[in-house]
Amino acid sequence: MALPSVVPIMNDASAASSPSAAFHSAHLAWAPPAGTVHLTANADDLSQHHENWHGWFSTSALSPLAAQPDAAITLNSRRGYMPDSPENHRLARLLRDSPEDFGAAGTPIVLGADHVAAHRHMSGDRITLQLHGLECIDGFQQLVTISHSKRELSPGHLDRAFARVDVLTGDARERARRLHYETHLYANAARPQDNLSRCPHLSRCREQFGLEGTLFDCRRGIVAGPHSYGYNITTVFRALACLSSSQYPDLAHLVGTDEGLDLVWSHMEESPYRDLMHDHVQAWSIQRAVETYDVAQNVAQSFDKSTITGHKHLIRYARPLVIWAAARSLPLHELHNGGRDAPNWHALIRSADFKTEVAATAHALVIAYETVRPKKPREYKQYKGEVENLDVWYEIVDLMRSKREL
């Protein structure tokens, strides 16, 4: 492959003044053998640290690197390309739909090379790296995704997308290769809860709580110092779900497990997240919901555990259903009302009447459960698995609604 008119970046004068002048001179005089790979980028997008290069390359420049079917072998990649990976599908969509954002996703592509020779074009605004003995230490999935995208995307489209690339040689290359196999030992994996710091509704509530001197923050790992958390974000979502005005307890059932919460938090722009966290939610909404949840929880927990037998296992294993059903007695349509005409929620929740309602609702649910799913003695061990089933909750709610108990 013929290079355009280029000149070595390090001239003789600068080489002579360098502590490693002999090495640089030999390095730049090295004649690249067949199989050398050329990568060209804007000079302003590249930086050099010792013998390593770091910068941004267009995806059109990177697209040939993993274009061959045996690329995993020739590039000594840790893994082959995974065509069924949802992450790779998302990368491809990002490159297609939003090329300017492509390089901001994920980690840099890390390439290793036996030798690197850098040449500045005569115009001075571009640099070509000649790479010999190339391998892909990290980022092979990105490279293949880029190569595949070349089949459907125009060169002009790929010129708009850039990826971060580190080109390493010598000890840095060996270190990166060794540590790449241990990356998972040092990285703190992201969790769905980490998305919540971007939610404008939670940010608004945090500011409102702050005006009252109450700490409210959804982030993992926040150190509160001498102040304790006002509200646990897991409890907040479970409480809001139990006080949802929906006809059935789907949301309460879903967020009742950690897996369900993760599912909700993973899709903040969609239902059911938007059913729980929206423009109408305010600090007082959360305050009322959590207080209701805590009071109802305490009442349910106060039942003598020795009496929790048979169908009464519902009180233990379907606690969100008990809280959701008891909350139907409250003015749920006023939950987000912060005006002077709003009900006195604190008085309603803390009243003996509400606590009595929770206990009565729990007993009514047990009776409905006995009706819709009668048991024989040998089937008693099935209670936990059965009463956690949403279909059973539907049957119980429908029966109680037919009797106008809900």
Side-chain angles (χ1 to χ4, degrees):
M1 175 179 176
L3 280 173
S5 298
V6 295
V7 295
I9 289 181
M10 180 172 287
N11 56 32
D12 293 339
S14 59
S17 63
S18 169
S20 53
F23 177 84
H24 281 294
S25 297
H27 189 63
L28 291 172
W30 165 73
T36 294
V37 173
H38 301 143
L39 283 181
T40 300
N42 293 325
D44 291 341
D45 290 339
L46 286 176
S47 63
Q48 184 182 17
H49 181 69
H50 299 303
E51 296 306 307
N52 307 309
W53 288 84
H54 313 274
W56 293 83
F57 292 82
S58 70
T59 53
S60 60
L62 297 171
S63 60
L65 296 187
Q68 299 303 317
D70 62 348
I73 297 173
T74 58
L75 292 178
N76 194 29
S77 169
R78 178 181 177 185
R79 293 177 294 204
Y81 180 66
M82 298 180 289
D84 298 327
S85 161
E87 291 80 8
N88 288 342
H89 292 169
R90 283 191 285 269
L91 271 175
R93 286 197 299 271
L94 185 64
L95 181 55
R96 181 187 67 233
D97 300 336
S98 185
E100 293 83 1
D101 295 334
F102 182 78
T107 56
I109 296 169
V110 181
L111 303 178
D114 293 338
H115 304 283
V116 179
H119 298 269
R120 187 181 294 273
H121 293 225
M122 295 299 293
S123 59
D125 60 347
R126 294 171 70 77
I127 293 175
T128 292
L129 302 182
Q130 293 179 320
L131 312 178
H132 174 62
L134 182 68
E135 70 171 325
C136 181
I137 297 172
D138 196 6
F140 182 74
Q141 306 300 316
Q142 294 183 60
L143 287 178
V144 180
T145 299
I146 292 169
S147 296
H148 287 179
S149 297
K150 189 177 181 181
R151 303 169 186 171
E152 59 172 301
L153 302 177
S154 68
H157 187 100
L158 294 177
D159 282 338
R160 293 161 52 198
F162 287 80
R164 293 171 293 166
V165 179
D166 294 335
V167 181
L168 309 179
T169 63
D171 292 342
R173 175 192 187 184
E174 297 302 323
R175 185 181 302 113
R177 183 194 290 128
R178 171 172 53 84
L179 291 177
H180 176 57
Y181 289 87
E182 303 175 3
T183 299
H184 64 286
L185 300 177
Y186 309 107
N188 289 295
R191 296 181 185 173
Q193 182 181 344
D194 301 333
N195 299 338
L196 301 183
S197 61
R198 297 176 53 221
C199 175
H201 309 303
L202 287 173
S203 296
R204 179 183 63 250
C205 293
R206 184 183 69 248
E207 293 174 0
Q208 291 172 348
F209 275 119
L211 294 175
E212 300 177 358
T214 301
L215 178 63
F216 176 73
D217 204 305
C218 58
R219 294 172 177 85
R220 287 192 302 145
I222 290 291
V223 178
H227 307 288
S228 61
Y229 279 103
Y231 298 94
N232 177 281
I233 196 63
T234 295
T235 302
V236 167
F237 272 81
R238 288 175 176 167
L240 288 172
C242 286
L243 269 68
S244 166
S245 59
S246 57
Q247 188 177 8
Y248 287 97
D250 303 65
L251 291 173
H253 183 274
L254 176 60
V255 301
T257 64
D258 292 342
E259 295 78 12
L261 274 172
D262 283 349
L263 180 63
V264 172
W265 291 342
S266 295
H267 305 282
M268 292 170 50
E269 303 301 324
E270 305 171 10
S271 177
Y273 186 92
R274 288 299 190 190
D275 298 331
L276 295 174
M277 196 57 57
H278 44 74
D279 291 337
H280 299 298
V281 177
Q282 309 294 333
W284 53 81
S285 311
I286 292 174
Q287 194 172 33
R288 295 162 180 172
V290 171
E291 190 174 7
T292 303
Y293 185 86
D294 287 344
V295 169
Q297 182 96 297
N298 290 336
V299 172
Q301 289 175 341
S302 68
F303 285 97
D304 186 348
K305 290 184 172 55
S306 64
T307 66
I308 302 294
T309 60
H311 287 82
K312 289 183 180 179
H313 280 93
L314 175 144
I315 300 173
R316 175 181 296 172
Y317 298 129
R319 192 70 53 75
L321 174 61
V322 175
I323 301 172
W324 176 88
R328 303 305 97 186
S329 65
L330 298 172
L332 299 180
H333 62 286
E334 297 281 1
L335 180 64
H336 308 298
N337 182 0
R340 293 183 177 180
D341 59 337
N344 186 339
W345 277 82
H346 182 75
L348 287 173
I349 298 164
R350 294 293 174 178
S351 68
D353 288 344
F354 180 64
K355 295 175 184 178
T356 300
E357 179 67 28
V358 175
T361 300
H363 286 301
L365 289 167
V366 170
I367 293 171
Y369 181 31
E370 290 174 341
T371 302
V372 300
R373 293 294 177 100
K375 291 280 187 301
K376 298 176 182 178
R378 65 176 180 272
E379 298 175 321
Y380 283 171
K381 292 183 179 179
Q382 299 177 8
Y383 284 115
K384 183 179 188 296
E386 181 181 78
V387 82
E388 291 176 341
N389 191 314
L390 182 59
D391 290 340
V392 175
W393 290 20
Y394 267 61
E395 294 177 34
I396 293 172
V397 169
D398 284 339
L399 178 61
M400 292 185 66
R401 191 165 283 140
S402 70
K403 294 181 178 180
R404 298 188 176 181
E405 295 178 356
L406 273 181

